[in-house]
Amino acid sequence: MGTPPTLESLAMQALVRSHSVSICDTLEDVPWLLFPRLFREAYAGGHAEVLKAMVQAWPFPCLLLGAVTRSPDLEALKAALDGLDLLLAQKDRPRRWKLQVLDLRSVSSEMRAQGCPSLAGSSPPGPLSPRPPATCDARRTEERPLTIVLDLTIQDGPQGAFQAYVLRWARKRRGRVQLRCEKLQILSGCTSRVRKALRPVRLDSIQELVVDCFWRRETMKTFARQLSQMQNLRVLHFSKMSAQVYTSRALNALYSRKYAAHLGRLQCLRELHVHDVFFLHGKLPAILGSLTALKTLSLSSCPLQEDDLKFLSGCACARQLQRLRLRSVCLGRFSPEPLRALLEQAAGTLETLALEDCGLTDAQLPAILPALRQCSQLGFFSFYGNPISLGSLCTLLSHTARLARFSQGIYPPPLESFYFQDDGVLGSIHLERFLLMLGPLLQAWRASSTPSQRFQICADFCHRRRKCQMVSLGPRGSWVLTVEGLPGLSALPA
C-alpha cells in the first residue's frame, strides 16, 4: 500500500479543484510558503482559473513558470498572462501581491537532476534590479512595470506557438510590460523577421547572442544598430559572412568600418567567438580597443592583418585572457613576434590555448616556445593542423608537458609522416612512416609528462563536419584511433 496523502495534500487538492469566483479571497488566507506547491498542483491538474488567480496573488517577486515542466505549455502560459492582465488592470494592488517578474525560461536537465527548483526563485533573474525592501514607498513598487523573461530563437519557417504568443502579447502591452531576453539565437537572414521579433524586447537585457545564419552585408548593417544597443552583452557568437563569398575588397572595407563602429560599443563583452567572416580584417583595434572584461577570444577562418595581431598583443584585454583560439588563421606568413608578445601578455591568466591549422612551421616555433613556457596556468593546448617536423614536435611536447597545470594536448602528425604532392603541398598520411614516428613521440612525452596528462595526435580533421581522427594512448599503453567531434572553445577543459 502506498503512503496515504497528508491532510495538507488533501486540502491543496480540494482548493485547486475549486472554481468559485472567490478563489482570490481564499488565496489571501493561504500561507505564502505553500504557494509554490499549490501552484504545481494546479498546473498538474490543468486548472487554468486557479493558475490565473495564483499569478495575481503570487507573494514573491519572481515566478519561475519555466521551472514547472520540461516543455512549454501554451495553456498554462495563457492562464498566467491572463492573470497578469487582471493584475495590470488593478489600480490598487493588495500588499501581498508582489509579483514583478514572470520567468518563462526552461530549466536545464542538469538543474532538474540536482533537485526541483523553487518556483519563487532566489532573486529576479539576470540584469533585473533587486526588489526594494518592504519599507519602500508602495506607490513606487506598484508603478514598476511587470517583467517577462524569455530566451528567444528567431528562425525561418513557422515560429513556435509558445514564443509567438509571448511576443504578440508583449507587443500589445509595451510601456506596461517589459520583455527581457538573456539568451538570443538568430537563425534567420530575414531582416523584417528579426526586427519584428526584437521590437518588444529590451535590447540591453540580452547577455548572450548567437548569430548562425548566412547574412547579406546590408542585413548585418541594419542589425548592427540594434547590436550596439545590447550594452550588457557578455557572450557573442557570430558566423557565416565569408570572405570567399564577399570578394569585393572595396565594399568589404566599407561595411567593415560600419560594423566595427557598432561592435566596439559592446564594452561588457567577456566572450567573443567569430567564425568565417570578412569584417575583422584590419578592424581588431576598433572592435577590441575598449573591451576591458574580455576573457575568451575565438577567431576561426577570419582573414586578419599582421597589424591586427600586433594590436592584440598590446591590447589591455590580452593580460586577462583565459581562453584563446586562433583556427584556420594564416599566421605562417606573419612574423612570429606578435604571437610571442601576445602569449607573454596572457601568460599569467591563459588556461586554454588553441593554435589550430594556422600554418605555423619550424621557423616560427623557436620564437613561440619561450613565451609558451611562461604560461603557468595553461591546462589545455591544441596545435593540430600545423606542419612541423618530428624534432620540433618532440621539443613542443616536452615544453608543454612540463607546465605545472597542464592536463591535455592535441598535436599534429610529424611533417615527415606525410606524402608530398608534385607541387610540394602536403598530401595524406603515409601510414608506415607515421607508425614509426610514434615511438620517438611517446618517448619525448613520457620523459616530461605525468600519468594524469593526456596526449593525442589529430591525424585528420574536417572543420565543416566538426569531426577529427584522434590517435590516443590507451590505458594499456597501446595506440587507439577514434573519430571524435571537435569541441567548441567553451567545452574545452581549463
Side-chain angles (χ1 to χ4, degrees):
M1 292 181 62
T3 305
T6 63
L7 288 175
E8 181 182 292
S9 298
L10 292 172
M12 285 188 181
Q13 292 172 16
L15 181 59
V16 298
R17 291 192 187 104
S18 169
H19 294 281
S20 65
V21 293
S22 61
I23 183 67
C24 290
D25 295 332
T26 306
L27 291 173
E28 284 279 317
D29 300 322
V30 175
W32 62 273
L33 284 174
L34 298 182
F35 261 73
R37 187 174 172 186
L38 183 62
F39 192 92
R40 290 183 186 277
E41 289 278 355
Y43 185 93
H47 300 289
E49 292 301 317
V50 180
L51 291 175
K52 186 190 304 184
M54 290 197 71
V55 168
Q56 298 174 66
W58 194 251
F60 307 99
C62 184
L63 171 54
L64 304 182
L65 185 61
V68 181
T69 181
R70 285 183 174 85
S71 57
D73 186 289
L74 184 58
E75 294 307 313
L77 171 70
K78 290 179 178 179
L81 296 183
D82 286 346
L84 285 186
D85 275 333
L86 293 173
L87 195 58
L88 290 169
Q90 297 284 337
K91 293 184 178 179
D92 299 310
R93 302 182 198 170
R95 288 184 179 180
R96 66 173 293 172
W97 294 9
K98 299 177 181 179
L99 184 62
Q100 297 175 23
V101 180
L102 180 64
D103 193 337
L104 303 177
R105 295 172 297 177
S106 60
V107 176
S108 67
S109 56
E110 290 80 5
M111 289 182 65
R112 291 183 182 279
Q114 296 170 8
C116 198
S118 168
L119 295 184
S122 56
S123 63
L128 299 175
S129 56
R131 177 173 171 78
T135 55
C136 284
D137 181 16
R139 181 176 299 175
R140 287 176 57 193
T141 303
E142 290 174 9
E143 290 176 354
R144 177 174 299 174
L146 285 166
T147 299
I148 309 292
V149 184
L150 177 71
D151 292 337
L152 291 177
T153 298
I154 305 172
Q155 58 190 1
D156 294 324
Q159 199 173 35
F162 188 92
Q163 179 176 292
Y165 190 89
V166 175
L167 292 176
R168 189 163 56 248
W169 186 88
R171 274 195 294 268
K172 293 178 180 179
R173 292 156 181 83
R174 290 184 68 181
R176 293 184 297 158
V177 173
Q178 290 184 358
L179 181 59
R180 293 181 178 251
C181 168
E182 287 193 4
K183 294 182 180 180
L184 171 63
Q185 190 174 27
I186 301 178
L187 308 177
S188 171
C190 177
T191 306
S192 60
R193 181 182 292 267
V194 174
R195 286 162 108 186
K196 182 179 179 181
L198 293 181
R199 195 172 298 143
V201 177
R202 281 283 302 266
L203 295 180
D204 60 353
S205 69
I206 298 172
Q207 296 192 37
E208 182 174 338
L209 170 63
V210 176
V211 178
D212 188 12
C213 184
F214 179 78
W215 273 12
R216 294 180 293 109
R217 285 178 293 214
E218 197 63 31
T219 302
M220 177 58 181
K221 177 186 172 184
T222 302
F223 178 72
R225 289 190 287 270
Q226 292 177 306
L227 181 63
S228 63
Q229 297 176 50
M230 301 178 188
Q231 295 297 315
N232 291 304
L233 196 66
R234 305 291 195 270
V235 181
L236 173 60
H237 293 257
F238 197 100
S239 61
K240 298 181 182 176
M241 293 189 71
S242 176
Q244 295 180 357
V245 176
Y246 299 110
T247 56
S248 170
R249 292 187 178 182
L251 281 177
N252 284 353
L254 174 66
Y255 280 99
S256 295
R257 283 196 299 271
K258 296 179 183 294
Y259 303 163
H262 292 286
L263 287 166
R265 297 174 187 172
L266 304 176
Q267 298 185 13
C268 291
L269 210 58
R270 295 176 184 172
E271 293 188 26
L272 178 60
H273 306 256
V274 184
H275 170 67
D276 198 18
V277 305
F278 69 83
F279 56 77
L280 296 188
H281 189 255
K283 293 295 178 287
L284 283 191
I287 295 171
L288 302 181
S290 60
L291 301 187
T292 58
L294 196 67
K295 304 290 185 184
T296 298
L297 178 63
S298 176
L299 307 180
S300 174
S301 301
C302 299
L304 295 179
Q305 293 181 354
E306 187 167 344
D307 285 344
D308 288 318
L309 208 57
K310 288 179 180 178
F311 164 79
L312 189 57
S313 66
C315 185
C317 65
R319 292 191 289 272
Q320 59 195 28
L321 278 179
Q322 295 176 354
R323 294 168 182 249
L324 173 64
R325 163 172 278 159
L326 300 177
R327 174 188 282 176
S328 300
V329 176
C330 296
L331 300 180
R333 56 189 175 86
F334 297 160
S335 163
E337 290 305 309
L339 181 57
R340 177 196 60 78
L342 173 58
L343 295 181
E344 287 179 348
Q345 287 289 325
T349 58
L350 201 60
E351 299 172 1
T352 297
L353 174 62
L355 303 172
E356 300 161 340
D357 189 30
C358 291
L360 293 170
T361 64
D362 291 4
Q364 283 92 10
L365 209 55
I368 298 171
L369 286 177
L372 197 57
R373 281 200 301 268
Q374 298 176 37
C375 296
S376 57
Q377 305 300 313
L378 194 66
F380 178 89
F381 177 62
S382 179
F383 197 73
Y384 72 79
N386 294 297
I388 59 174
S389 66
L390 176 63
S392 294
L393 184 53
C394 288
T395 303
L396 180 62
L397 285 172
S398 63
H399 275 70
T400 50
R402 288 193 179 101
L403 294 170
R405 296 181 178 270
F406 193 73
S407 62
Q408 183 181 352
I410 300 176
Y411 305 90
L415 193 59
E416 295 88 341
S417 61
F418 287 90
Y419 284 105
F420 279 85
Q421 299 176 7
D422 294 338
D423 55 1
V425 176
L426 285 183
S428 59
I429 286 183
H430 189 295
L431 184 58
E432 291 182 3
R433 292 182 202 162
F434 176 63
L435 292 175
L436 288 174
M437 293 177 189
L438 289 177
L441 290 175
L442 181 58
Q443 185 178 0
W445 176 256
R446 283 180 169 169
S448 307
S449 66
T450 63
S452 63
Q453 294 174 334
R454 191 181 182 198
F455 162 49
Q456 292 181 294
I457 296 176
C458 180
D460 197 8
F461 59 90
C462 178
H463 289 157
R464 184 176 59 84
R465 294 183 178 180
R466 299 179 183 177
K467 296 288 184 181
C468 62
Q469 292 183 351
M470 290 291 191
V471 179
S472 310
L473 195 61
R476 298 182 180 180
S478 59
W479 294 99
V480 180
L481 177 65
T482 56
V483 177
E484 302 180 11
L486 287 171
L489 190 60
S490 58
L492 295 176

